[in-house]
Coordinates of all heavy atoms in Angstrom, one line a residue:
S1 N 56.8 -22.2 53.3 CA 57.1 -22.5 54.7 C 56.0 -22.0 55.6 O 55.9 -22.5 56.7 CB 58.4 -21.8 55.0 OG 58.3 -20.4 54.9
G2 N 55.3 -21.0 55.1 CA 54.2 -20.5 56.0 C 53.0 -21.5 56.1 O 52.3 -21.4 57.1
A3 N 53.0 -22.5 55.2 CA 51.9 -23.5 55.3 C 52.2 -24.5 56.4 O 51.2 -25.2 56.9 CB 51.8 -24.3 54.0
F4 N 53.4 -24.6 56.9 CA 53.6 -25.6 58.0 C 52.8 -25.2 59.3 O 52.4 -26.0 60.0 CB 55.1 -25.6 58.3 CG 55.9 -26.4 57.3 CD1 56.9 -25.7 56.6 CD2 55.7 -27.7 57.1 CE1 57.6 -26.4 55.6 CE2 56.4 -28.4 56.1 CZ 57.3 -27.8 55.4
N5 N 52.6 -23.9 59.5 CA 51.8 -23.5 60.6 C 50.4 -23.8 60.5 O 49.7 -24.0 61.5 CB 52.0 -21.9 60.8 CG 53.4 -21.5 61.2 OD1 54.1 -22.3 61.8 ND2 53.8 -20.3 60.8
A6 N 49.9 -24.0 59.2 CA 48.5 -24.3 59.0 C 48.2 -25.8 59.2 O 47.0 -26.2 59.2 CB 48.1 -23.9 57.6
I7 N 49.2 -26.6 59.3 CA 49.0 -28.1 59.5 C 48.2 -28.3 60.7 O 47.3 -29.2 60.7 CB 50.3 -28.8 59.5 CG1 51.0 -28.7 58.1 CG2 50.1 -30.3 59.9 CD1 52.4 -29.3 58.0
R8 N 48.5 -27.7 61.8 CA 47.7 -27.9 63.0 C 46.3 -27.5 62.9 O 45.4 -28.2 63.4 CB 48.3 -27.1 64.2 CG 49.5 -27.8 64.8 CD 49.8 -27.1 66.1 NE 51.2 -26.7 66.1 CZ 51.7 -25.8 66.8 NH1 51.0 -25.2 67.7 NH2 53.0 -25.5 66.7
V9 N 46.0 -26.5 62.2 CA 44.6 -26.0 62.0 C 43.8 -26.7 61.0 O 42.7 -27.2 61.2 CB 44.7 -24.5 61.7 CG1 43.2 -23.9 61.5 CG2 45.4 -23.7 62.8
R10 N 44.5 -27.0 59.8 CA 43.7 -27.5 58.7 C 44.0 -29.0 58.5 O 43.4 -29.7 57.7 CB 44.0 -26.7 57.5 CG 43.5 -25.3 57.6 CD 43.6 -24.5 56.5 NE 43.1 -23.2 56.8 CZ 43.2 -22.1 56.0 NH1 43.8 -22.3 54.8 NH2 42.7 -21.0 56.3
G11 N 45.0 -29.6 59.1 CA 45.2 -31.0 59.1 C 45.8 -31.7 57.9 O 46.6 -31.1 57.1
I12 N 45.3 -32.9 57.6 CA 45.8 -33.7 56.5 C 45.7 -33.1 55.2 O 46.6 -33.3 54.4 CB 45.1 -35.1 56.6 CG1 45.4 -35.8 57.9 CG2 45.4 -36.0 55.4 CD1 46.8 -36.2 58.1
P13 N 44.7 -32.4 54.8 CA 44.6 -31.8 53.4 C 45.8 -30.9 53.2 O 46.4 -30.9 52.0 CB 43.3 -31.0 53.4 CG 42.4 -31.7 54.4 CD 43.4 -32.2 55.5
V14 N 46.3 -30.2 54.1 CA 47.5 -29.3 53.9 C 48.7 -30.1 53.7 O 49.5 -29.8 52.9 CB 47.6 -28.3 55.1 CG1 49.0 -27.5 55.0 CG2 46.5 -27.3 55.2
V15 N 48.8 -31.2 54.5 CA 50.0 -32.1 54.3 C 49.9 -32.7 52.9 O 51.0 -32.8 52.2 CB 49.9 -33.2 55.3 CG1 51.0 -34.3 55.1 CG2 50.1 -32.6 56.7
L16 N 48.8 -33.1 52.4 CA 48.7 -33.7 51.0 C 49.0 -32.6 50.0 O 49.7 -33.0 49.0 CB 47.3 -34.2 50.8 CG 46.9 -35.4 51.7 CD1 45.4 -35.8 51.4 CD2 47.8 -36.6 51.4
V17 N 48.6 -31.4 50.2 CA 49.0 -30.4 49.2 C 50.5 -30.1 49.2 O 51.1 -29.9 48.2 CB 48.2 -29.0 49.5 CG1 48.7 -27.9 48.7 CG2 46.7 -29.3 49.2
L18 N 51.0 -30.1 50.4 CA 52.5 -29.9 50.5 C 53.2 -31.1 49.8 O 54.3 -30.8 49.1 CB 52.9 -29.8 51.9 CG 52.6 -28.4 52.6 CD1 52.9 -28.5 54.1 CD2 53.3 -27.3 51.9
L19 N 52.8 -32.3 50.0 CA 53.4 -33.4 49.4 C 53.3 -33.3 47.8 O 54.2 -33.7 47.1 CB 52.8 -34.7 49.9 CG 53.3 -35.1 51.3 CD1 52.5 -36.4 51.8 CD2 54.8 -35.3 51.4
A20 N 52.1 -32.9 47.4 CA 51.9 -32.7 45.9 C 52.8 -31.7 45.4 O 53.4 -31.8 44.3 CB 50.5 -32.4 45.6
R21 N 53.0 -30.6 46.1 CA 53.9 -29.5 45.7 C 55.4 -30.0 45.7 O 56.1 -29.7 44.8 CB 53.8 -28.3 46.6 CG 52.6 -27.5 46.3 CD 52.5 -26.2 47.1 NE 51.4 -25.4 46.7 CZ 51.2 -24.2 47.0 NH1 52.1 -23.6 47.9 NH2 50.2 -23.5 46.6
L22 N 55.8 -30.8 46.7 CA 57.1 -31.4 46.7 C 57.3 -32.3 45.5 O 58.4 -32.2 44.8 CB 57.3 -32.1 48.0 CG 58.7 -32.7 48.2 CD1 59.8 -31.7 48.2 CD2 58.7 -33.6 49.4
T23 N 56.3 -33.2 45.2 CA 56.5 -34.1 44.1 C 56.5 -33.3 42.8 O 57.3 -33.7 41.9 CB 55.3 -35.1 44.1 OG1 55.2 -35.7 45.3 CG2 55.4 -36.1 42.9
T24 N 55.7 -32.3 42.6 CA 55.7 -31.5 41.4 C 57.1 -30.7 41.2 O 57.6 -30.6 40.1 CB 54.6 -30.5 41.5 OG1 53.3 -31.2 41.5 CG2 54.6 -29.6 40.3
T25 N 57.6 -30.3 42.3 CA 58.9 -29.6 42.3 C 60.0 -30.6 41.8 O 60.8 -30.3 40.9 CB 59.3 -29.0 43.6 OG1 58.3 -28.1 44.0 CG2 60.7 -28.4 43.6
A26 N 60.0 -31.8 42.3 CA 60.9 -32.9 41.9 C 60.7 -33.2 40.4 O 61.7 -33.4 39.7 CB 60.8 -34.1 42.8
L27 N 59.5 -33.3 40.0 CA 59.2 -33.5 38.5 C 59.7 -32.4 37.7 O 60.3 -32.6 36.6 CB 57.7 -33.7 38.3 CG 57.3 -34.1 37.0 CD1 57.9 -35.4 36.5 CD2 55.7 -34.2 36.9
G28 N 59.6 -31.1 38.1 CA 60.1 -30.0 37.4 C 61.6 -30.0 37.3 O 62.2 -29.7 36.3
V29 N 62.3 -30.4 38.4 CA 63.7 -30.4 38.4 C 64.2 -31.6 37.4 O 65.1 -31.4 36.7 CB 64.3 -30.7 39.8 CG1 65.8 -31.0 39.8 CG2 64.0 -29.4 40.7
A30 N 63.5 -32.7 37.5 CA 63.9 -33.8 36.5 C 63.7 -33.4 35.1 O 64.5 -33.7 34.2 CB 63.0 -35.0 36.9
A31 N 62.6 -32.6 34.8 CA 62.3 -32.2 33.5 C 63.4 -31.2 33.0 O 63.9 -31.2 31.9 CB 61.0 -31.5 33.4
G32 N 63.8 -30.3 33.9 CA 64.9 -29.3 33.6 C 66.2 -30.0 33.3 O 66.9 -29.6 32.3
R33 N 66.5 -31.0 34.1 CA 67.8 -31.8 33.9 C 67.7 -32.5 32.5 O 68.7 -32.6 31.8 CB 68.0 -32.8 35.0 CG 68.4 -32.2 36.3 CD 69.8 -31.5 36.2 NE 70.8 -32.3 35.6 CZ 72.0 -32.0 35.4 NH1 72.4 -30.8 35.7 NH2 72.8 -32.8 34.8
A34 N 66.5 -33.1 32.2 CA 66.4 -33.8 31.0 C 66.5 -32.9 29.8 O 67.1 -33.2 28.8 CB 65.0 -34.5 30.9
L35 N 66.0 -31.6 29.9 CA 66.1 -30.7 28.9 C 67.6 -30.2 28.7 O 68.0 -30.1 27.6 CB 65.2 -29.4 29.1 CG 63.7 -29.7 29.0 CD1 63.0 -28.5 29.6 CD2 63.4 -29.8 27.5
L36 N 68.2 -30.0 29.8 CA 69.7 -29.7 29.7 C 70.5 -30.8 29.1 O 71.5 -30.5 28.3 CB 70.2 -29.3 31.1 CG 69.8 -27.9 31.6 CD1 70.3 -27.8 33.1 CD2 70.4 -26.8 30.8
D37 N 70.2 -32.0 29.4 CA 71.0 -33.1 28.9 C 70.5 -33.6 27.5 O 71.0 -34.5 27.0 CB 70.9 -34.3 29.9 CG 71.5 -34.0 31.2 OD1 72.3 -33.1 31.3 OD2 71.2 -34.7 32.2
R38 N 69.5 -32.9 27.0 CA 68.9 -33.2 25.7 C 68.5 -34.6 25.5 O 68.8 -35.2 24.5 CB 69.9 -32.7 24.6 CG 70.1 -31.2 24.6 CD 70.8 -30.7 23.4 NE 71.0 -29.3 23.6 CZ 71.6 -28.6 22.7 NH1 72.2 -29.1 21.7 NH2 71.7 -27.3 22.9
Q39 N 67.8 -35.1 26.5 CA 67.3 -36.5 26.4 C 66.0 -36.4 25.5 O 65.3 -35.5 25.5 CB 66.9 -37.0 27.8 CG 68.2 -37.2 28.7 CD 67.8 -37.6 30.1 OE1 66.6 -37.9 30.4 NE2 68.8 -37.8 30.9
A40 N 65.8 -37.5 24.8 CA 64.6 -37.6 23.9 C 63.3 -37.5 24.6 O 62.3 -37.0 24.1 CB 64.7 -38.9 23.1
S41 N 63.2 -37.9 25.9 CA 62.0 -37.9 26.6 C 61.8 -36.5 27.3 O 60.7 -36.4 28.0 CB 62.0 -39.0 27.7 OG 63.1 -38.8 28.6
A42 N 62.7 -35.6 27.1 CA 62.6 -34.3 27.9 C 61.3 -33.5 27.6 O 60.7 -33.0 28.5 CB 63.8 -33.5 27.6
P43 N 60.9 -33.3 26.3 CA 59.6 -32.6 26.1 C 58.4 -33.2 26.8 O 57.6 -32.5 27.3 CB 59.5 -32.6 24.6 CG 60.8 -32.7 24.1 CD 61.5 -33.7 25.1
A44 N 58.3 -34.5 26.8 CA 57.2 -35.2 27.4 C 57.3 -35.0 28.9 O 56.2 -34.7 29.6 CB 57.1 -36.7 27.1
L45 N 58.4 -35.1 29.5 CA 58.6 -34.9 30.9 C 58.3 -33.4 31.3 O 57.7 -33.1 32.3 CB 60.0 -35.3 31.3 CG 60.3 -35.4 32.8 CD1 59.4 -36.4 33.5 CD2 61.8 -35.8 33.0
A46 N 58.7 -32.5 30.4 CA 58.4 -31.1 30.7 C 56.9 -30.8 30.6 O 56.4 -30.0 31.4 CB 59.2 -30.2 29.6
R47 N 56.2 -31.5 29.7 CA 54.8 -31.3 29.6 C 54.1 -31.8 30.9 O 53.2 -31.2 31.4 CB 54.2 -32.0 28.4 CG 54.3 -31.3 27.1 CD 53.6 -32.0 26.0 NE 54.3 -31.7 24.7 CZ 55.3 -32.4 24.2 NH1 55.6 -33.6 24.7 NH2 55.8 -32.0 23.1
A48 N 54.6 -33.0 31.3 CA 54.0 -33.6 32.6 C 54.3 -32.6 33.7 O 53.4 -32.4 34.6 CB 54.7 -34.9 32.8
A49 N 55.5 -32.0 33.8 CA 55.8 -31.1 34.9 C 54.9 -29.9 34.8 O 54.5 -29.4 35.9 CB 57.3 -30.8 34.8
L50 N 54.7 -29.4 33.7 CA 53.8 -28.2 33.5 C 52.4 -28.5 33.9 O 51.8 -27.7 34.6 CB 53.9 -27.7 32.1 CG 55.1 -27.0 31.7 CD1 55.2 -26.7 30.1 CD2 55.3 -25.6 32.4
V51 N 51.9 -29.6 33.5 CA 50.5 -30.0 33.8 C 50.4 -30.2 35.3 O 49.4 -29.7 36.0 CB 50.0 -31.2 33.0 CG1 48.7 -31.8 33.6 CG2 49.9 -30.9 31.6
S52 N 51.4 -30.9 35.9 CA 51.3 -31.1 37.3 C 51.4 -29.8 38.1 O 50.7 -29.6 39.1 CB 52.5 -32.1 37.7 OG 52.6 -32.2 39.1
S53 N 52.3 -28.9 37.7 CA 52.4 -27.7 38.4 C 51.2 -26.8 38.3 O 50.7 -26.2 39.3 CB 53.6 -26.9 37.8 OG 53.8 -25.7 38.5
A54 N 50.6 -26.8 37.1 CA 49.3 -26.1 37.0 C 48.2 -26.6 37.9 O 47.5 -25.9 38.5 CB 48.9 -26.1 35.5
A55 N 48.1 -28.0 37.9 CA 47.1 -28.6 38.7 C 47.3 -28.3 40.2 O 46.3 -28.0 40.9 CB 47.1 -30.1 38.5
V56 N 48.5 -28.4 40.7 CA 48.8 -28.1 42.1 C 48.5 -26.7 42.4 O 47.9 -26.4 43.5 CB 50.2 -28.5 42.4 CG1 50.6 -27.9 43.8 CG2 50.4 -30.0 42.4
Q57 N 48.8 -25.8 41.5 CA 48.5 -24.4 41.8 C 47.0 -24.1 41.8 O 46.5 -23.4 42.6 CB 49.2 -23.5 40.8 CG 50.6 -23.2 41.1 CD 51.2 -22.1 40.3 OE1 50.5 -21.4 39.6 NE2 52.5 -21.8 40.6
L58 N 46.3 -24.7 40.8 CA 44.8 -24.5 40.8 C 44.1 -25.1 42.0 O 43.2 -24.5 42.5 CB 44.3 -25.2 39.5 CG 44.6 -24.4 38.2 CD1 44.1 -25.2 37.0 CD2 44.1 -23.0 38.2
V59 N 44.6 -26.3 42.5 CA 44.1 -26.8 43.7 C 44.3 -25.9 44.9 O 43.4 -25.7 45.7 CB 44.7 -28.2 44.0 CG1 44.4 -28.7 45.4 CG2 44.1 -29.2 43.0
G60 N 45.5 -25.3 44.9 CA 45.8 -24.4 46.0 C 44.9 -23.1 45.9 O 44.5 -22.6 46.9
Y61 N 44.6 -22.7 44.7 CA 43.8 -21.5 44.6 C 42.3 -21.8 44.9 O 41.6 -20.9 45.4 CB 43.9 -20.9 43.1 CG 45.2 -20.4 42.7 CD1 45.6 -20.4 41.4 CD2 46.0 -19.8 43.7 CE1 46.8 -19.9 41.0 CE2 47.3 -19.3 43.3 CZ 47.6 -19.3 42.0 OH 48.8 -18.8 41.6
L62 N 41.8 -22.9 44.5 CA 40.4 -23.2 44.5 C 39.9 -24.0 45.7 O 38.7 -24.1 45.9 CB 40.0 -24.0 43.2 CG 40.2 -23.2 41.9 CD1 40.0 -24.1 40.7 CD2 39.4 -21.9 41.9
S63 N 40.8 -24.5 46.5 CA 40.4 -25.2 47.7 C 40.6 -24.4 49.0 O 41.4 -23.5 49.1 CB 41.3 -26.5 47.9 OG 42.6 -26.1 48.2
P64 N 39.8 -24.7 50.0 CA 39.9 -24.0 51.3 C 41.0 -24.6 52.2 O 41.2 -24.1 53.3 CB 38.5 -24.3 51.9 CG 38.1 -25.6 51.4 CD 38.7 -25.7 50.0
W65 N 41.7 -25.6 51.7 CA 42.7 -26.3 52.5 C 44.0 -25.5 52.7 O 44.7 -25.7 53.7 CB 43.0 -27.6 52.0 CG 41.8 -28.5 51.7 CD1 40.8 -28.7 52.6 CD2 41.6 -29.2 50.6 NE1 39.9 -29.5 52.0 CE2 40.3 -29.9 50.7 CE3 42.3 -29.4 49.4 CZ2 39.8 -30.7 49.8 CZ3 41.7 -30.3 48.4 CH2 40.5 -30.9 48.6
F66 N 44.3 -24.7 51.8 CA 45.7 -24.0 51.8 C 45.5 -22.6 52.1 O 44.7 -21.9 51.5 CB 46.3 -24.2 50.4 CG 47.8 -24.3 50.5 CD1 48.4 -25.4 51.1 CD2 48.6 -23.2 50.1 CE1 49.8 -25.5 51.2 CE2 50.0 -23.3 50.2 CZ 50.6 -24.4 50.7
P67 N 46.3 -22.1 53.0 CA 46.1 -20.6 53.4 C 46.5 -19.7 52.3 O 47.4 -20.0 51.5 CB 47.1 -20.5 54.6 CG 48.0 -21.6 54.5 CD 47.3 -22.7 53.8
S68 N 45.8 -18.6 52.2 CA 46.1 -17.7 51.1 C 46.0 -16.2 51.7 O 45.3 -16.0 52.7 CB 45.2 -17.8 49.9 OG 43.9 -17.3 50.2
N69 N 46.6 -15.3 51.0 CA 46.4 -13.9 51.3 C 45.8 -13.1 50.2 O 46.0 -11.9 50.1 CB 47.7 -13.3 51.8 CG 48.8 -13.4 50.6 OD1 48.5 -13.9 49.6 ND2 49.9 -12.8 50.9
R70 N 45.0 -13.8 49.3 CA 44.4 -13.1 48.2 C 43.2 -12.4 48.7 O 42.5 -12.8 49.6 CB 43.9 -14.1 47.2 CG 45.1 -14.8 46.4 CD 44.6 -15.7 45.4 NE 43.8 -16.8 45.9 CZ 44.2 -17.9 46.5 NH1 45.4 -18.1 46.7 NH2 43.3 -18.8 46.9
L71 N 42.9 -11.2 48.1 CA 41.7 -10.5 48.4 C 40.5 -11.1 47.8 O 40.6 -11.9 46.8 CB 41.8 -9.0 47.9 CG 42.9 -8.2 48.5 CD1 43.1 -6.9 47.8 CD2 42.7 -8.0 50.0
P72 N 39.3 -10.9 48.4 CA 38.1 -11.5 47.7 C 37.9 -11.0 46.3 O 38.1 -9.8 46.0 CB 36.9 -10.9 48.6 CG 37.6 -10.6 49.9 CD 39.0 -10.2 49.6
G73 N 37.6 -11.9 45.5 CA 37.4 -11.6 44.0 C 38.7 -11.7 43.2 O 38.6 -11.7 42.0
E74 N 39.8 -12.0 43.8 CA 41.1 -12.1 43.0 C 41.3 -13.5 42.5 O 42.1 -13.7 41.6 CB 42.3 -11.7 43.9 CG 42.4 -10.2 44.0 CD 43.7 -9.8 44.8 OE1 44.3 -10.7 45.4 OE2 44.1 -8.7 44.6
T75 N 40.7 -14.5 43.1 CA 41.0 -15.9 42.8 C 40.7 -16.2 41.3 O 41.5 -16.8 40.6 CB 40.1 -16.8 43.7 OG1 40.6 -16.6 45.0 CG2 40.4 -18.3 43.3
P76 N 39.6 -15.7 40.7 CA 39.4 -15.9 39.2 C 40.5 -15.4 38.4 O 40.9 -16.0 37.4 CB 38.1 -15.3 38.9 CG 37.3 -15.2 40.2 CD 38.4 -15.1 41.3
L77 N 41.1 -14.3 38.8 CA 42.2 -13.7 38.1 C 43.5 -14.6 38.2 O 44.2 -14.8 37.2 CB 42.6 -12.3 38.6 CG 41.4 -11.3 38.4 CD1 41.9 -9.9 39.1 CD2 41.1 -11.0 37.0
Y78 N 43.7 -15.1 39.3 CA 44.8 -16.0 39.5 C 44.6 -17.3 38.7 O 45.6 -17.8 38.1 CB 45.0 -16.4 41.0 CG 45.7 -15.3 41.8 CD1 45.1 -14.2 42.4 CD2 47.1 -15.5 42.0 CE1 45.8 -13.3 43.1 CE2 47.8 -14.5 42.7 CZ 47.1 -13.4 43.3 OH 47.8 -12.5 44.0
V79 N 43.4 -17.8 38.7 CA 43.1 -19.0 37.9 C 43.3 -18.8 36.5 O 44.0 -19.6 35.7 CB 41.7 -19.5 38.2 CG1 41.3 -20.6 37.3 CG2 41.6 -20.0 39.7
A80 N 42.8 -17.7 36.0 CA 42.9 -17.3 34.5 C 44.4 -17.2 34.2 O 44.8 -17.7 33.1 CB 42.1 -16.1 34.2
W81 N 45.1 -16.4 35.0 CA 46.6 -16.2 34.6 C 47.3 -17.5 34.7 O 48.2 -17.8 33.8 CB 47.2 -15.2 35.6 CG 48.7 -15.1 35.4 CD1 49.6 -15.5 36.2 CD2 49.3 -14.6 34.2 NE1 50.9 -15.2 35.7 CE2 50.7 -14.7 34.4 CE3 48.9 -14.1 33.0 CZ2 51.6 -14.3 33.5 CZ3 49.8 -13.7 32.1 CH2 51.2 -13.8 32.3
T82 N 47.0 -18.4 35.6 CA 47.7 -19.7 35.7 C 47.4 -20.5 34.4 O 48.3 -21.1 33.8 CB 47.2 -20.5 36.9 OG1 47.6 -19.7 38.1 CG2 47.9 -21.8 37.0
L83 N 46.2 -20.5 34.0 CA 45.8 -21.3 32.8 C 46.5 -20.7 31.5 O 47.0 -21.4 30.7 CB 44.3 -21.3 32.6 CG 43.5 -22.1 33.7 CD1 42.0 -21.9 33.5 CD2 43.9 -23.6 33.6
V84 N 46.6 -19.4 31.4 CA 47.2 -18.8 30.3 C 48.7 -19.0 30.3 O 49.3 -19.4 29.3 CB 46.9 -17.2 30.3 CG1 47.8 -16.5 29.3 CG2 45.5 -16.9 30.0
Y85 N 49.3 -18.9 31.5 CA 50.8 -19.1 31.6 C 51.2 -20.5 31.2 O 52.0 -20.7 30.3 CB 51.2 -18.8 33.0 CG 52.7 -19.0 33.2 CD1 53.6 -18.0 32.8 CD2 53.1 -20.1 33.9 CE1 54.9 -18.1 33.0 CE2 54.5 -20.3 34.1 CZ 55.4 -19.3 33.7 OH 56.7 -19.4 33.9
Y86 N 50.6 -21.5 31.9 CA 50.9 -22.9 31.6 C 50.5 -23.4 30.2 O 51.1 -24.1 29.6 CB 50.4 -23.8 32.7 CG 51.2 -23.6 34.0 CD1 50.7 -22.9 35.1 CD2 52.5 -24.2 34.1 CE1 51.4 -22.7 36.2 CE2 53.2 -24.0 35.3 CZ 52.7 -23.3 36.3 OH 53.4 -23.1 37.5
G87 N 49.3 -22.9 29.8 CA 48.9 -23.2 28.5 C 49.8 -22.7 27.4 O 50.1 -23.4 26.4
G88 N 50.3 -21.5 27.6 CA 51.3 -20.9 26.7 C 52.6 -21.8 26.6 O 53.1 -22.0 25.5
W89 N 53.0 -22.2 27.7 CA 54.3 -23.1 27.7 C 54.0 -24.4 27.0 O 54.8 -25.0 26.3 CB 54.8 -23.3 29.1 CG 55.6 -22.1 29.6 CD1 55.3 -21.2 30.5 CD2 56.9 -21.7 29.0 NE1 56.4 -20.3 30.6 CE2 57.3 -20.6 29.7 CE3 57.7 -22.3 28.0 CZ2 58.6 -20.0 29.4 CZ3 58.9 -21.6 27.8 CH2 59.3 -20.5 28.5
L90 N 52.8 -24.9 27.3 CA 52.4 -26.2 26.6 C 52.3 -26.1 25.1 O 52.8 -26.9 24.3 CB 51.1 -26.8 27.2 CG 51.2 -27.4 28.6 CD1 49.9 -27.6 29.2 CD2 52.1 -28.6 28.6
V91 N 51.8 -24.9 24.7 CA 51.7 -24.7 23.2 C 53.1 -24.5 22.7 O 53.4 -25.1 21.6 CB 50.8 -23.4 22.9 CG1 51.0 -23.0 21.5 CG2 49.4 -23.7 23.3
Y92 N 53.9 -23.8 23.4 CA 55.3 -23.7 22.9 C 56.0 -25.0 22.8 O 56.7 -25.3 21.8 CB 56.1 -22.8 23.9 CG 57.6 -22.8 23.6 CD1 58.1 -22.1 22.5 CD2 58.5 -23.5 24.4 CE1 59.5 -22.1 22.2 CE2 59.8 -23.5 24.1 CZ 60.3 -22.8 23.0 OH 61.7 -22.8 22.8
L93 N 55.9 -25.9 23.8 CA 56.5 -27.2 23.7 C 56.0 -28.0 22.5 O 56.7 -28.8 21.9 CB 56.4 -28.0 25.0 CG 57.3 -27.6 26.1 CD1 56.9 -28.3 27.4 CD2 58.7 -27.9 25.8
G94 N 54.7 -27.9 22.2 CA 54.1 -28.6 21.2 C 54.4 -28.1 19.8 O 54.4 -28.9 18.8
R95 N 54.6 -26.8 19.6 CA 54.7 -26.2 18.3 C 56.1 -25.7 17.9 O 56.3 -25.4 16.8 CB 53.7 -25.1 18.2 CG 52.3 -25.5 18.4 CD 51.4 -24.5 17.9 NE 51.7 -24.1 16.6 CZ 50.9 -23.6 15.7 NH1 49.6 -23.4 16.1 NH2 51.2 -23.3 14.5
S96 N 57.0 -25.7 18.9 CA 58.3 -25.1 18.7 C 59.2 -25.9 17.7 O 59.3 -27.1 17.9 CB 59.1 -25.0 20.0 OG 60.4 -24.6 19.8
K97 N 59.7 -25.3 16.7 CA 60.5 -26.0 15.8 C 61.9 -26.3 16.4 O 62.6 -27.3 16.1 CB 60.7 -25.2 14.5 CG 59.4 -25.1 13.7 CD 59.6 -24.3 12.5 CE 58.3 -24.4 11.8 NZ 57.8 -23.6 10.9
R98 N 62.3 -25.4 17.3 CA 63.6 -25.6 18.0 C 63.5 -26.9 18.9 O 64.4 -27.7 18.9 CB 63.9 -24.4 18.8 CG 65.2 -24.5 19.6 CD 65.5 -23.2 20.3 NE 66.8 -23.4 21.0 CZ 67.1 -22.9 22.1 NH1 66.2 -22.2 22.8 NH2 68.2 -23.1 22.7
I99 N 62.4 -27.0 19.6 CA 62.2 -28.2 20.5 C 62.2 -29.4 19.6 O 62.9 -30.5 19.9 CB 61.0 -28.1 21.3 CG1 61.0 -26.9 22.3 CG2 60.7 -29.4 22.0 CD1 62.1 -27.1 23.4
A100 N 61.5 -29.4 18.5 CA 61.4 -30.5 17.6 C 62.8 -30.9 17.0 O 63.1 -32.1 16.9 CB 60.4 -30.3 16.4
A101 N 63.6 -29.9 16.7 CA 64.9 -30.1 16.1 C 65.9 -30.7 17.1 O 66.7 -31.6 16.8 CB 65.5 -28.8 15.5
L102 N 65.8 -30.2 18.4 CA 66.7 -30.7 19.4 C 66.4 -32.0 19.9 O 67.2 -32.8 20.3 CB 66.7 -29.7 20.6 CG 67.5 -28.3 20.3 CD1 67.3 -27.4 21.6 CD2 69.0 -28.6 20.2
Y103 N 65.1 -32.3 20.0 CA 64.6 -33.6 20.7 C 64.0 -34.6 19.8 O 63.5 -35.6 20.2 CB 63.7 -33.2 21.9 CG 64.4 -32.3 22.9 CD1 64.1 -30.9 22.9 CD2 65.3 -32.8 23.8 CE1 64.8 -30.1 23.8 CE2 66.0 -31.9 24.7 CZ 65.7 -30.6 24.7 OH 66.3 -29.8 25.5
G104 N 63.9 -34.2 18.5 CA 63.3 -35.2 17.6 C 61.9 -35.3 17.6 O 61.0 -35.7 17.9

């Protein structure tokens, strides 16, 4: 919600980042529902949601368009943690025997 104030200052790029975040959130909700309903396409949708979420976060960290309160030098740590976190979930989805058994 704090980004809405930045629209006047930073313009269209902030609006595009907000729209990407909204779309990514909708994709994540759809993936969660598909996982709960045990649909066969759920793991693929979850992977897409994870990749989309990681990409949106990385754009937010690495671009000057989105306001941040990170201290100088912290951005590489945020980027590394984001890659480890989402990479771990992607590995889990790809290698989990439970996921394979539930979703085929």
Side-chain angles (χ1 to χ4, degrees):
S1 65
F4 286 116
N5 295 331
I7 292 174
R8 276 194 238 161
V9 176
R10 298 185 180 173
I12 296 297
V14 173
V15 172
L16 294 176
V17 170
L18 287 173
L19 288 174
R21 285 186 171 189
L22 180 65
T23 303
T24 298
T25 301
L27 185 60
V29 170
R33 290 295 309 177
L35 288 167
L36 282 174
D37 295 341
R38 295 191 181 176
Q39 296 177 0
S41 62
L45 192 57
R47 280 186 210 96
L50 286 169
V51 168
S52 176
S53 183
V56 167
Q57 281 196 0
L58 290 174
V59 166
Y61 293 150
L62 298 173
S63 70
W65 306 313
F66 210 71
S68 75
N69 60 354
R70 292 181 305 278
L71 295 173
E74 284 186 341
T75 298
L77 298 174
Y78 279 85
V79 168
W81 175 247
T82 299
L83 292 173
V84 166
Y85 179 79
Y86 287 103
W89 279 111
L90 287 169
V91 167
Y92 170 75
L93 281 174
R95 299 193 56 155
S96 172
K97 292 181 178 161
R98 181 175 181 218
I99 296 292
L102 285 173
Y103 302 100

